Amino acid sequence: TVGGSTHVVEVAAGLARRGHEVVTIAGKAAAPLPTDWPEGARLVNVPLPKGLALATLPAVWRAGRALRPDVVMERYYNFAGAGLLYARRRRLPALLEVNAPLWDPPGSAKDRLDRVIPGGPLRRWAIWQARAAGRTGRAGACGTVAPLAEYRRR
């Protein structure tokens, strides 16, 4: 695994250790995700390139119908958001794990692209994702695991 996929596995493992049933829906990663997921966590692989992450929406809906989650957590990525769309439609609490800037710095390829497309859709979508999540978290146990525990206590 590499950066992002390693982090996804660790967050899934941490939540599973705390007694949560965790289903991770992931697209095509830069490196294969491990097959030895921790007890209480499983992987649903949707073989789509990262740039088409939003196209996992049908898989998210199928998993949602089958699992009926209490909370949806999504790892932020510019072209993602399927979990947040599902949560909003089902009126579920949503967490957005953000461990990078919501939009790329001025002059970056995504920033330049966003500036030539009328309305700045990448920046607008990033802001929508942040607002769609009832809470936003930073990478690590404090930002991702603690809010779930707080939600469970309600």
Side-chain angles (χ1 to χ4, degrees), residues 21 23 42 62-70:
E21 180 182 357
V23 176
R42 67 185 172 97
R62 282 191 298 277
R65 278 194 306 271
L67 299 168
R68 305 184 73 192
D70 296 320

Side-chain angles (χ1 to χ4, degrees), residues 65-107:
R65 278 194 306 271
L67 299 168
R68 305 184 73 192
D70 296 320
V71 177
V72 173
M73 179 179 169
E74 181 147 6
R75 179 178 167 87
Y76 174 74
Y77 175 63
N78 298 95
F79 303 110
L84 296 171
L85 287 167
Y86 174 81
R88 186 173 181 117
R89 178 65 181 229
R90 303 296 301 166
R91 298 178 191 252
L92 294 170
L95 297 156
L96 180 62
E97 181 213 354
V98 179
N99 67 347
L102 282 175
W103 49 82
D104 288 28

Side-chain angles (χ1 to χ4, degrees), residues 15-132:
L15 291 170
R17 280 192 300 272
R18 290 179 172 263
H20 299 283
E21 180 182 357
V22 179
V23 176
T24 300
I25 300 173
K28 184 178 178 182
L33 289 170
T35 55
D36 57 334
W37 280 73
E39 187 175 329
R42 67 185 172 97
L43 172 67
V44 175
N45 189 27
V46 180
L48 291 170
K50 188 176 179 181
L52 297 176
L54 192 54
T56 62
L57 190 57
V60 170
W61 277 90
R62 282 191 298 277
R65 278 194 306 271
L67 299 168
R68 305 184 73 192
D70 296 320
V71 177
V72 173
M73 179 179 169
E74 181 147 6
R75 179 178 167 87
Y76 174 74
Y77 175 63
N78 298 95
F79 303 110
L84 296 171
L85 287 167
Y86 174 81
R88 186 173 181 117
R89 178 65 181 229
R90 303 296 301 166
R91 298 178 191 252
L92 294 170
L95 297 156
L96 180 62
E97 181 213 354
V98 179
N99 67 347
L102 282 175
W103 49 82
D104 288 28
S108 67
K110 287 181 193 169
D111 177 65
R112 289 192 312 271
L113 175 65
D114 200 42
R115 289 175 189 275
V116 295
I117 300 173
L122 295 177
R123 184 175 292 242
R124 281 196 351 260
W125 183 239
I127 292 168
W128 183 90
Q129 287 185 71
R131 288 181 178 157

